[in-house]
């Protein structure tokens, strides 16, 4: 973990999406933060030590999904499926599929595995899974303000953790989508799915993957103003009020300029706590002074 000194900063942005507005002054105390998102290898140690079963490995409660097809009320999770042709960006069901058997060990569903991906961020973790891991290792989830302060790396008012240019001098500094989302992934940054957590440079606080690769859970409840859409760009059920929503930050490898330009510190989305997908992970913090 690295020590994040805390202090005052300007949170949010007036330049991108409505849910990021307005820019406002915020103060956070100092805290320790994981240098990397929690990886598959680290999450495996937790599961082996505790026998924990994640949300996506348990059958859904039929009472919570009265309109669901019974055949889909089996353990599983949401997986991105790339269409073979252009589709309407208004319908994110065109690229999301609830896949029985998809979970953190099988990120693309049955037959897939995390072999060789111990250093990739764990995915298919619901909010309660992140809380359980954090409690096991004596840590907590960051608030949205703590997360954004850390992601900025000491830069004030910049669009990205490294400045205002998305790809300075043609360099890719985060794992995001290149090409026309969702049907064309050029993978110019070297990755089509998740990447090792240290594949791209750290920010000014020595933190890796603060934008791109996977969204990250925070402990902050997500509330929208009346003029803000509740629907998430990255999950088809995020506008559903069936359960509490929490803020996720940082964007993912599925974020593209033509659809979801959210691989930025100020970007935010609301996800229901039962959201479990192939592109949401987390990292932890400890709130105590150094030394």
């Amino acid at each position: 973990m690295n020590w994040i000194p805390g202090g005052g900063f300007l949170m949010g942005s007036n330049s991108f999406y409505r849910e990021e507005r307005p820019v406002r002054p915020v103060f956070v105390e100092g805290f320790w933060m994981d240098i990397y998102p929690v990886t598959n290898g680290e999450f495996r140690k937790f599961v082996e030590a505790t026998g924990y079963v994640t949300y996506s490995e348990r059958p859904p409660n039929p009472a919570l999904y009265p309109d669901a097809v019974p055949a889909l009320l089996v353990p599983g999770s949401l997986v991105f499926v790339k269409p073979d042709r252009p589709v309407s960006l208004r319908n994110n069901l065109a690229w999301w599929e609830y896949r029985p058997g998809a979970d953190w060990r099988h990120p693309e569903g049955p037959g897939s595995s995390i072999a060789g991906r111990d250093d990739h961020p764990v995915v298919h973790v619901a909010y309660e899974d992140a809380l359980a891991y954090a409690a096991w290792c004596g840590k907590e989830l960051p608030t949205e303000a703590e997360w954004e302060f850390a992601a900025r790396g000491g830069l004030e008012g910049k669009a990205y953790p490294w400045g205002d240019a998305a790809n300075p001098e043609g360099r890719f500094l985060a794992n995001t989508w290149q090409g026309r989302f969702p049907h064309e992934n050029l993978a110019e940054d070297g990755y089509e799915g998740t990447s090792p957590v240290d594949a791209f440079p750290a920010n000014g606080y020595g933190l890796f993957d603060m934008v791109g690769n996977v969204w990250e859970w925070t402990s902050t409840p997500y509330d929208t103003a009346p003029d803000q859409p509740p629907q998430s760009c990255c999950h088809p059920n995020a506008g559903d009020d069936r359960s509490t929503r929490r803020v996720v930050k940082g964007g993912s490898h599925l974020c593209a300029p033509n659809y979801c330009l959210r691989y930025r510190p100020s970007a935010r989305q609301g996800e229901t706590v039962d959201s479990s997908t192939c592109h949401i992970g987390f990292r932890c913090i400890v709130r105590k002074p150094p030394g």
Side-chain angles (χ1 to χ4, degrees):
M1 305 185 87
N2 278 357
W3 174 250
I4 311 303
F9 75 109
L10 294 177
M11 184 172 176
S13 172
N14 295 329
S15 303
F16 293 92
Y17 298 103
R18 285 180 290 171
E19 65 269 17
E20 302 172 39
R21 303 171 189 167
V23 172
R24 63 274 188 198
V26 173
F27 179 85
V28 297
E29 300 286 350
F31 56 94
W32 294 91
M33 183 173 241
D34 288 345
I35 296 174
Y36 307 108
V38 175
T39 64
N40 288 317
E42 291 168 328
F43 199 78
R44 180 191 295 110
K45 293 177 182 177
F46 159 61
V47 170
E48 290 176 347
T50 64
Y52 184 82
V53 178
T54 62
Y55 185 89
S56 63
E57 296 173 282
R58 299 175 237 145
N61 182 349
L64 298 178
Y65 304 92
D67 299 324
V69 177
L72 292 180
L73 290 176
V74 296
S77 190
L78 281 173
V79 172
F80 173 80
V81 179
K82 187 170 66 174
D84 60 4
R85 64 181 70 86
V87 296
S88 171
L89 295 180
R90 295 176 180 269
N91 178 23
N92 55 18
L93 292 174
W95 54 84
W96 285 113
E97 174 185 309
Y98 183 80
R99 186 165 293 175
D103 55 46
W104 73 274
R105 290 187 181 92
H106 310 95
E108 292 81 48
S112 67
S113 79
I114 54 173
R117 288 191 262 182
D118 271 6
D119 59 352
H120 286 227
V122 66
V123 291
H124 296 294
V125 283
Y127 183 68
E128 65 187 71
D129 303 327
L131 289 179
Y133 176 93
W136 173 71
C137 58
K139 301 179 182 181
E140 300 176 81
L141 295 183
T143 65
E144 178 182 8
E146 289 169 333
W147 192 100
E148 185 169 331
F149 181 88
R152 291 184 178 277
L155 295 183
E156 185 72 85
K158 300 298 184 180
Y160 302 96
W162 51 82
D164 282 325
N167 304 110
E169 300 177 349
R171 292 179 297 144
F172 293 99
L173 300 180
N175 180 4
T176 61
W177 185 287
Q178 297 86 52
R180 293 168 296 171
F181 184 88
H183 67 286
E184 178 190 57
N185 189 344
L186 301 177
E188 293 170 335
D189 60 8
Y191 300 96
E192 187 163 356
T194 60
S195 55
V197 295
D198 61 354
F200 296 90
N203 72 359
Y205 289 143
L207 305 175
F208 291 78
D209 268 2
M210 290 304 290
V211 297
N213 213 1
V214 296
W215 289 90
E216 297 184 12
W217 286 109
T218 76
S219 62
T220 300
Y222 183 84
D223 296 309
T224 57
D227 67 338
Q228 295 176 0
Q231 186 68 23
S232 165
C233 76
C234 61
H235 184 277
N237 297 323
D240 194 330
D241 290 328
R242 176 169 47 236
S243 56
T244 303
R245 286 184 288 161
R246 300 284 172 168
V247 174
V248 294
K249 299 283 281 182
S252 79
H253 63 276
L254 298 179
C255 283
N258 74 308
Y259 177 64
C260 181
L261 185 57
R262 288 181 167 88
Y263 44 95
R264 297 172 290 101
S266 64
R268 62 197 302 267
Q269 289 279 263
E271 294 295 336
T272 55
V273 293
D274 60 352
S275 295
S276 172
T277 80
C278 64
H279 72 332
I280 299 179
F282 68 103
R283 77 178 72 208
C284 303
I285 68 168
V286 171
R287 296 184 181 93
K288 65 179 182 181

